[in-house]
Amino acid sequence: MHRTLVILGSLCGLVGYGFCEKYGGGQGIAEDPYLIASVEHLVGFGNTPDDYDAHFLLVNDLDMVGTVYTGAVIAPDLDKRERGPQGRKFNGVFDGGGHKISNFTVENRSIHYLALFGFAGKNAVIKNLHLVDASVHGGDTASCLIGGLEGTIENCSVTGKLSGTYCIGGMVSFLDNASVKHSTCKVVISSSAGRKLYIAGGLVAFSQYGKIDHCIAECSINTDGNVLDMGGGLIGFNHGTIANSYCDQVSIVAKAGGKDVGAFCGHNAGSIRNCLAFEFQVQCKGERIGGLVGGNSSLIAMSVAEGQVVGMSGIGGITGKNTGYIIDCYSNVTSAALEHVGGFAGVNTYGILGSYSIGKAVGVAEKAGGFVGQNTGLIDLSFWDAEKSRIDFDVAAVPKRTSELKRKSTFKYWGNGVWLIDEDSDYPRLAWENTPGVIIEDEPVEYGGGSGTADDPYLIYDANSLTMIGAYPQDFEKHFKLMADIDMQGVEFKGICYGFGFGGVFDGNGHVIRNYVVNNDLPCSGLFTVIPHTGVVKNVIVEGFQVSGSRFVGGLCGKNDGLIQRCRVAGSMEARHLV
């Protein structure tokens, strides 16, 4: 009898997650999630891939002190030799319940996706979880919370320290068509001894079509004498969308060199809107170093930078080098470099619109620009404070006295609803900053009717209305409909949204636009200069045109990242580089 009791006791211990109550209770469904009440439950969950689609709720604070893990606790990468994560992804829901997990430590420089969760699939949700004093030391793709994410993180926070060589992110290493929202991160990141640090961010290292919204990062990155490429206080490389997020107290030091380094983002190939970096210090002995973004090849809008940035070449308050679009931004940054340094941008080869700088720029080998150091693109409706900065030189922007920059009359054509001004008391501020003042407004453009919405598009009947599209930035993303054939013979025309992207919807309605002539030195030339990813042009017939430009030239558009449908072209084009 005694022997039988021993066998039954052992059986219950071995299959405690089977025949006995699983974890701390629950059934693993939304209405009755599995309860995680101890570190043993958490590790048991990680060792049970069959439960990776289930629902979990953390019901206690956990302290993982005393154990150094060698791989992700949940959904680890099982084969580093294969590209991408190998093994089953977590695709369930993990609700932290507002609790914290403290002192998680993992070290392994030969394993990828090193984090608490190795990889989370598109159905995964991790929320209300707070990771405190994490310590992660890896090689490639390391983070505190999740190595790779295809799902959602919401209302989470992380504090800790990390080191590695590639794709090192405070909360997430690789964001793949996933989202992080209402989350915060405070981390210290360093490079592995003797190794270059490539793509590092305080919140996320790399975003591919990801979404970051209402997030905050406080970050220190120090490469310990190694090179840093693509480093940012919030994100290293962005090819997604970021909105309503900010960085505070960011410190980045890369004395051995590097490129594409910014207090907020290292390199932006997506969109950044309504974002802020302030009280930062960035020092990198390299190029494309910016207060907000190191290098921008896409869109920055309605964003702010306030701090200090020092580098070698291509150094600016908002960006070190702009090859995309920057609209409705301002900087109050002290910038210093050997060459190509400006208060707002170090180098501009594309478009900057409706922006200003009030910071100071210092050049050693060549004179600094009040707004931009070197310009081969288009800068319009943009200013710098020549009085405050004590800089009397710029190659493109317009100098203004401090008092002029505090008057509404200075900012004609800025009336797109995103700026407000407390006249004679303060510079223009973005409306989302909620500072005192009144909205800057312009008289609406008179087209042939409509209100610019999908249901009531602006109506275009003649050449004059067509050339007015994009004259006011507030119309860049509106809806338009062509109501008649238009002959542009003899009409002065530089292209719709000249120098900037048309991100709205233009329906040609089967009509013809003919005989327009576009001849400029911009990188992109066409009926539309550029169609970004939000833009749609459809049902347009163009013929008899002559388009010439410096590089990207097309009859309908110079560069298309959006959608073109059911269009037909016939005309001539000429370019020095690409047609």
Side-chain angles (χ1 to χ4, degrees):
M1 184 69 179
H2 175 70
R3 184 179 179 89
T4 303
L5 287 173
V6 170
I7 292 173
L8 290 175
S10 298
L11 180 63
C12 190
L14 287 171
V15 296
Y17 291 145
F19 294 105
C20 299
E21 187 175 58
K22 206 167 190 179
Y23 308 114
Q27 302 181 61
I29 58 177
E31 298 79 8
D32 187 19
Y34 289 133
L35 304 181
I36 302 296
S38 67
V39 173
E40 291 74 21
H41 292 159
L42 187 69
V43 173
F45 157 38
N47 290 331
T48 314
D50 286 346
D51 288 342
Y52 283 2
D53 294 340
H55 290 248
F56 293 83
L57 175 65
L58 185 64
V59 294
N60 287 326
D61 293 344
L62 305 183
D63 193 341
M64 303 183 77
V65 69
T67 301
V68 178
Y69 296 89
T70 58
V73 175
I74 301 153
D77 182 22
L78 300 179
D79 190 349
K80 68 173 184 177
R81 297 168 298 180
E82 295 293 329
R83 183 180 179 87
Q86 303 300 308
R88 189 162 178 175
K89 303 173 184 178
F90 173 67
N91 258 310
V93 175
F94 190 94
D95 186 346
H99 291 287
K100 62 184 180 181
I101 297 176
S102 302
N103 300 307
F104 167 63
T105 301
V106 60
E107 297 180 6
N108 194 329
R109 304 200 185 279
S110 63
I111 294 293
H112 301 163
Y113 300 96
L114 205 65
L116 183 65
F117 289 79
F119 204 93
K122 63 182 181 180
N123 295 320
V125 177
I126 299 172
K127 60 184 180 180
N128 309 320
L129 177 63
H130 307 294
L131 202 58
V132 179
D133 293 333
S135 180
V136 179
H137 303 286
D140 291 357
T141 323
S143 182
C144 293
L145 185 57
I146 301 179
L149 177 67
E150 295 174 343
T152 300
I153 292 175
E154 185 172 7
N155 193 32
C156 291
S157 69
V158 167
T159 66
K161 56 185 179 180
L162 308 92
S163 67
T165 57
Y166 172 76
C167 211
I168 309 301
M171 184 170 285
V172 183
S173 298
F174 186 69
L175 198 63
D176 185 6
N177 201 22
S179 67
V180 181
K181 50 191 177 181
H182 300 283
S183 295
T184 65
C185 206
K186 183 178 181 179
V187 294
V188 175
I189 298 174
S190 60
S191 59
S192 298
R195 300 288 298 276
K196 171 182 175 180
L197 180 56
Y198 182 61
I199 309 182
L203 185 81
V204 173
F206 191 112
S207 173
Q208 180 75 10
Y209 306 116
K211 296 180 181 179
I212 299 173
D213 190 25
H214 286 92
C215 290
I216 303 169
E218 183 177 331
C219 174
S220 172
I221 300 176
N222 194 319
T223 59
D224 301 319
N226 301 314
V227 172
L228 171 64
D229 282 357
M230 296 192 193
L234 188 117
I235 187 169
F237 180 88
N238 175 48
H239 196 270
T241 62
I242 305 175
N244 311 307
S245 299
Y246 72 88
C247 284
D248 181 17
Q249 303 289 336
V250 170
S251 172
I252 301 177
V253 179
K255 294 181 179 180
K259 57 188 177 183
D260 291 296
V261 176
F264 186 86
C265 172
H267 187 91
N268 176 49
S271 70
I272 295 175
R273 296 174 184 261
N274 296 13
C275 291
L276 166 67
F278 66 101
E279 295 189 15
F280 57 80
Q281 292 187 337
V282 177
Q283 302 176 50
C284 181
K285 192 178 180 180
E287 58 181 345
R288 299 195 296 273
I289 316 299
L292 189 76
V293 174
N296 175 54
S297 58
S298 190
L299 175 66
I300 304 172
M302 296 168 284
S303 296
V304 183
E306 298 183 354
Q308 299 178 3
V309 58
V310 178
M312 295 296 290
S313 177
I315 314 299
I318 288 291
T319 184
K321 184 174 183 179
N322 176 51
T323 58
Y325 296 97
I326 303 176
I327 302 174
D328 297 324
C329 295
Y330 73 87
S331 66
N332 183 9
V333 176
T334 299
S335 306
L338 188 66
E339 61 181 6
H340 304 334
V341 56
F344 189 91
V347 177
N348 174 57
T349 65
Y350 236 71
I352 300 174
L353 177 69
S355 299
Y356 72 91
S357 169
I358 58 174
K360 184 174 180 60
V362 179
V364 177
E366 66 179 29
K367 194 171 184 178
F371 190 86
V372 64
Q374 183 185 64
N375 179 57
T376 57
L378 177 67
I379 295 176
D380 196 16
L381 301 176
S382 297
F383 314 100
W384 90 94
D385 190 330
E387 184 179 351
K388 183 175 183 290
S389 67
R390 298 182 180 179
I391 300 174
D392 60 2
F393 166 80
D394 195 81
V395 296
V398 178
K400 295 290 182 181
R401 295 188 303 273
T402 301
S403 59
E404 290 179 296
L405 287 174
K406 294 181 179 181
R407 293 177 190 156
K408 184 178 179 181
S409 59
T410 300
F411 303 98
K412 187 178 180 181
Y413 303 119
W414 279 40
N416 53 2
V418 305
W419 292 100
L420 55 78
I421 190 166
D422 188 7
E423 194 150 23
D424 296 324
S425 297
D426 196 8
Y427 298 97
R429 304 292 178 179
L430 292 162
W432 59 261
E433 295 182 85
N434 295 317
T435 57
V438 297
I439 294 291
I440 297 175
E441 294 179 315
D442 289 320
E443 291 296 324
V445 180
E446 294 293 337
Y447 297 106
S451 59
T453 65
D455 295 330
D456 186 28
Y458 286 131
L459 305 180
I460 305 299
Y461 286 94
D462 54 36
N464 181 63
S465 295
L466 186 68
T467 59
M468 287 299 293
I469 299 176
Y472 288 77
Q474 64 262 34
D475 292 341
F476 282 9
E477 296 184 347
K478 295 294 180 65
H479 291 249
F480 295 84
K481 189 172 185 178
L482 192 60
M483 302 302 292
D485 295 348
I486 296 177
D487 192 335
M488 301 285 287
Q489 185 75 44
V491 176
E492 183 178 349
F493 184 56
K494 295 182 178 180
I496 293 173
C497 292
Y498 170 66
F500 298 92
F502 175 75
V505 176
F506 186 93
D507 184 354
N509 199 24
H511 289 290
V512 181
I513 302 173
R514 57 172 59 93
N515 298 327
Y516 55 87
V517 176
V518 175
N519 184 6
N520 60 50
D521 292 324
L522 295 178
C524 298
S525 299
L527 177 66
F528 293 85
T529 307
V530 173
I531 303 173
H533 70 280
T534 59
V536 177
V537 176
K538 59 185 180 180
N539 307 319
V540 182
I541 302 169
V542 293
E543 58 186 39
F545 57 79
Q546 298 177 42
V547 178
S548 59
S550 65
R551 192 174 183 190
F552 298 97
V553 175
L556 187 64
C557 77
K559 182 174 184 288
N560 175 45
D561 292 320
L563 178 64
I564 296 176
Q565 290 181 316
R566 298 182 295 275
C567 296
R568 189 169 74 243
V569 301
S572 63
M573 297 163 288
E574 180 182 0
R576 289 190 292 273
H577 296 286
L578 301 176
V579 178

